[in-house]
Amino acid sequence: MLSIGIIGAGIVGERIIKQIQQENGVEVLAVYDEQQERLKTLHETYGVPIAATLEEVLHSQIDWLYIGTPPSSHASIARLAASAGIHVLSEKPLAHNAEDGEAMVKAAMDSRVQTAMHFPLMYSPAVREMARRIRSGSIGKIVRVELQTFFPDWPRAWQQNPWIASRSQGGFVREVFPHYLQLIHRLFGELKIQSHQITYPEQKDLCETGVIAQAIALQQEIPVLLTGLSGIGQKELLEFKVYGEEGVLTLENWSTLYVSEKYEERKQLTDLKPVPSLFEEMKKHSALLVPFEEGLVIQRYIDFLLTENLK
């Protein structure tokens, strides 16, 4: 039995609870959040044990601690868990910045605990099929990779909280881009961001409204284009596209996969093989888990994109 403690009971934390309750051989031993009313609601809805303090969770005989709090608190919580000999699963981004991320990596290494990042795309049948087709050469030589993210509003309607729109902690570059930057990193290796432009609103405490960046995947010298906009007149759309000489793969809105061929309409790929879940991989201590070291690579990309317009 894999035992999990949860710190942070927001929307994503609640999703983790629901996912765990659908797994075999995984249990939630304790949940803590500073919002006591929220804890009470989760206990009444899902029957999960709740804790009065963070320390109580750390002393509850858990194998792993999931950190689902705002990014600025990840480093301090991870260090406490590591010093207690507890493996750590962190929400993305890894930390508030790369400096905090480096401290998290060091704490885990010093205590010899295992780490993982919550990147659901890594355990998606559509993404695994996309990766298989790229690596098999079925779409030919890769000539470009693009990420396009469009949001009519940020924060999204389901994601309202005090920090998600803040310049210091929130924004779609921190919340959405890490998933796809990590996927690019797994598929194509190290990125070098060559230029970027980011736009912020006049109100100094609010997060970005737009970003565009040009990068290159160094191993194969593949051009990469990253774009994001919020506050625009269209429905939310996330498209991750890999252009090959013989075909194009499009991952749309997280989980819908299309393939295109020359002169043909794109086709949705629906016959996707099931893959092990995040928690199944955690039970196996799988190499498919994304460790903090890899999360730190992504954190450095995020930090760079959030800086004022460098060229």
Side-chain angles (χ1 to χ4, degrees):
M1 180 69 71
L2 189 70
S3 299
I4 310 288
I6 294 175
I7 306 296
I11 293 170
V12 179
E14 182 175 358
R15 288 178 177 176
I16 287 286
I17 290 170
K18 290 192 286 187
Q19 183 179 348
I20 289 173
Q21 292 187 335
Q22 295 172 358
E23 297 273 342
N24 293 319
V26 187
E27 62 179 350
V28 177
L29 282 191
V31 182
Y32 172 71
D33 193 283
E34 292 180 348
Q35 302 296 323
Q36 294 298 309
E37 284 300 314
R38 176 66 176 166
L39 275 182
K40 181 180 177 183
T41 298
L42 291 180
H43 174 69
E44 291 173 350
T45 304
Y46 301 103
V48 291
I50 58 177
T53 64
L54 167 60
E55 289 71 22
E56 185 178 332
V57 178
L58 296 175
H59 289 89
S60 58
Q61 304 300 309
I62 55 176
D63 302 309
W64 284 81
L65 181 74
Y66 165 74
I67 303 174
T69 56
S72 64
S73 60
H74 288 189
S76 59
I77 296 171
R79 286 197 297 264
L80 288 171
S83 65
I86 299 167
H87 305 307
V88 189
L89 170 66
S90 177
E91 197 52 62
K92 52 63 198 125
L94 176 62
H96 180 55
N97 53 36
E99 183 179 358
D100 277 1
E102 289 165 2
M104 293 171 70
V105 170
K106 184 178 186 303
M109 291 181 64
D110 290 347
S111 298
R112 298 183 180 181
V113 298
Q114 188 170 7
T115 61
M117 298 290 300
H118 183 219
F119 281 125
L121 288 178
M122 291 299 96
Y123 316 100
S124 157
V127 169
R128 294 285 180 90
E129 178 63 19
M130 187 180 209
R132 186 191 70 78
R133 287 174 178 254
I134 291 168
R135 288 167 178 158
S136 71
S138 70
I139 63 169
K141 179 183 177 182
I142 308 304
V143 295
R144 181 181 293 181
V145 175
E146 290 184 3
L147 170 64
Q148 301 182 71
T149 64
F150 302 108
F151 307 95
D153 294 296
W154 188 276
R156 294 165 285 188
W158 57 269
Q159 202 176 21
Q160 302 292 318
N161 63 49
W163 58 270
I164 203 71
S166 72
R167 193 170 303 190
S168 63
Q169 305 254 358
F172 58 82
V173 171
R174 284 192 180 93
E175 284 294 302
V176 176
F177 271 42
H179 294 281
Y180 293 95
L181 288 170
Q182 197 278 324
L183 179 55
I184 293 170
H185 184 78
R186 277 287 171 108
L187 291 173
F188 304 110
E190 181 184 356
L191 279 180
K192 179 181 180 181
I193 300 174
Q194 299 169 310
S195 64
H196 83 288
Q197 183 176 31
I198 189 162
T199 55
Y200 288 106
E202 291 185 7
Q203 190 170 332
K204 297 295 184 181
D205 61 338
L206 293 182
C207 67
E208 74 280 352
T209 56
V211 67
I212 185 166
Q214 182 178 347
I216 187 166
L218 294 174
Q219 186 175 350
Q220 301 176 54
E221 297 186 341
I222 300 170
V224 178
L225 180 65
L226 310 169
T227 63
L229 278 174
S230 65
I232 56 171
Q234 73 162 67
K235 189 176 182 180
E236 180 174 322
L237 177 65
L238 309 176
E239 282 194 332
F240 176 65
K241 304 189 76 166
V242 179
Y243 295 85
E245 291 180 342
E246 304 300 326
V248 177
L249 292 166
T250 303
L251 182 67
E252 187 169 287
N253 294 332
W254 304 106
S255 59
T256 306
L257 183 61
Y258 297 94
V259 64
S260 305
E261 297 176 347
K262 291 182 178 182
Y263 314 113
E264 301 290 337
E265 294 291 331
R266 72 176 189 174
K267 299 175 183 177
Q268 184 178 349
L269 298 172
T270 56
D271 187 18
L272 304 174
K273 296 180 181 179
V275 299
S277 70
L278 165 64
F279 295 99
E280 289 174 304
E281 301 290 8
M282 287 166 64
K283 284 188 283 187
K284 297 186 295 185
H285 298 274
S286 168
L288 290 174
L289 295 174
V290 180
F292 280 6
E293 290 87 347
E294 193 169 343
L296 179 56
V297 172
I298 309 310
Q299 183 72 56
R300 291 187 174 119
Y301 298 151
I302 295 301
D303 288 0
F304 187 88
L305 289 172
L306 289 171
T307 57
E308 296 291 347
N309 306 322
L310 301 174
K311 294 183 179 179

